Amino acid sequence: MQTHGFTLTAEGPFDFGASLRFVEDWPATAALPSDGRALRFAYCAESDWRPIGVTVTGAPGGVAVATTRPAGPGIRGEVARILSLDVDGTGFAKVAEADPVLGDVRERSPGLRPVCFWSPWEAACWAVIVQRSSMLIASRIKQRIAERHGARVDVDGHAYTAFPPPVSLLDAGGLGLPAQKEEWLRGLARAALDGVLTTEHLRALDPQDALAELRALPGVGPFSAGLILIRGAGAPDAFPGDEPRLFAILREAYGLPEDTTATAYRRIADAWRPYRSWASFLFRASTYGTAGDRPGR
């Protein structure tokens, strides 16, 4: 099969190997095979909702990308967003140096940048599927939905399944989810087709306005809204208002008491501007074993 190639250059430190190691440990990508050298996946491009296969390998100063169909500016921008290469990271080191706790976490994996979901739409669906479920079970359900309703794409001689586009889930039933979650997914599909669940729309808003708009969507609470904005749209400078797991990590890292308020966490995060999302990601990633020694998966 003919492939089409382009390169993406990082502004500031970037370690593609660290991104690969994160993907190997991230439950949302548990179904992806890995050879430790390339990131391969299939998804429905947000620019046109058509399936496309992608292979990413490391290159001097960035990455080399091969796609299964021609990649215009839209798709190039999406791949850049997925690897956070659409953000100038040259100032992040200075932010980390000013906060010794963050600096220690970054020092263990200095070139790791947030790895995002293939689209805000897919991030929103994951947020609904994983509610009141283990990440392992959620990953299996998401993969099953992709196999039933998504497209299969040949990537480097192997079949990869793309999670279905919004239009495919508008009237879909029998997804293996409770009726309420299936209704929420249909509502999210309508929002995506209306342009609400898109990177362009969400990144154009002030982070607090974007979070508020996302919380108004079906099945989306404070945690899910932060996930969609930060790990879906790839907004580099947002801080989730309510994420118990992140708060617990910060309590341990900064030696904070159990009754620390959300305002106090936001005050800590204010020192990370304009990279609040990146700093939050590094703290979470440290529990996956990506930064530093990696425990068994």
Side-chain angles (χ1 to χ4, degrees), residues 35-293:
D35 61 7
R37 297 187 301 274
L39 172 61
R40 298 179 180 87
F41 59 94
Y43 78 112
C44 287
E46 190 178 34
S47 55
D48 57 14
W49 296 121
R50 292 169 51 210
I52 184 171
V54 180
T55 301
V56 185
T57 53
V63 295
V65 183
T67 57
T68 56
R69 59 184 176 89
I75 290 174
R76 291 174 184 237
E78 290 176 24
V79 177
R81 171 193 52 79
I82 288 167
L83 295 170
S84 292
L85 292 175
D86 60 337
V87 176
D88 184 345
T90 52
F92 187 46
K94 187 171 291 187
V95 169
E97 288 171 6
D99 181 337
V101 179
L102 172 61
D104 179 63
V105 174
R106 181 184 174 276
E107 209 172 276
R108 284 176 269 159
S109 195
L112 177 62
R113 297 187 180 203
V115 180
C116 298
F117 284 86
W118 312 151
S119 67
W121 151 249
E122 195 162 339
C125 290
W126 169 262
V128 164
I129 294 168
V130 80
Q131 287 183 33
R132 298 186 180 182
S133 174
S134 75
M135 289 193 183
L136 178 61
I137 292 174
S139 178
R140 290 172 177 169
I141 293 174
K142 179 173 174 287
Q143 181 63 20
R144 188 163 63 241
I145 292 173
E147 290 170 352
R148 290 180 179 175
H149 300 278
R152 296 176 72 83
V153 183
D154 183 279
V155 183
D156 293 343
H158 298 279
Y160 285 73
T161 307
F163 191 78
V167 68
S168 297
L169 295 189
L170 273 177
D171 301 310
L175 301 178
L177 291 166
Q180 178 67 82
K181 285 190 177 184
E182 294 196 1
E183 182 58 35
W184 285 343
L185 288 186
R186 287 190 283 271
L188 292 175
R190 288 189 287 271
L193 292 173
D194 287 342
V196 176
L197 274 177
T198 65
T199 300
E200 181 180 10
H201 175 70
L202 294 173
R203 294 269 288 264
L205 299 174
D206 176 84
Q208 289 306 311
D209 293 337
L211 289 170
E213 191 168 300
L214 287 168
R215 287 195 296 270
L217 297 178
V220 177
F223 170 78
S224 299
L227 177 77
I228 297 165
L229 179 62
I230 295 171
R231 300 292 300 286
D237 189 36
F239 186 71
D242 183 14
E243 188 175 336
R245 179 168 168 266
L246 174 61
F247 290 176
I249 295 169
L250 295 179
R251 278 199 305 274
E252 181 175 352
Y254 287 88
L256 303 174
E258 280 286 335
D259 60 353
T260 299
T261 65
T263 300
Y265 293 117
R266 286 195 294 270
R267 194 176 300 121
I268 291 173
D270 280 343
W272 305 336
R273 294 176 182 269
Y275 299 101
R276 287 177 294 170
S277 301
W278 285 32
S280 300
F281 170 82
L282 281 189
F283 278 108
R284 283 190 298 262
S286 66
T287 67
Y288 288 148
T290 304
D293 296 331

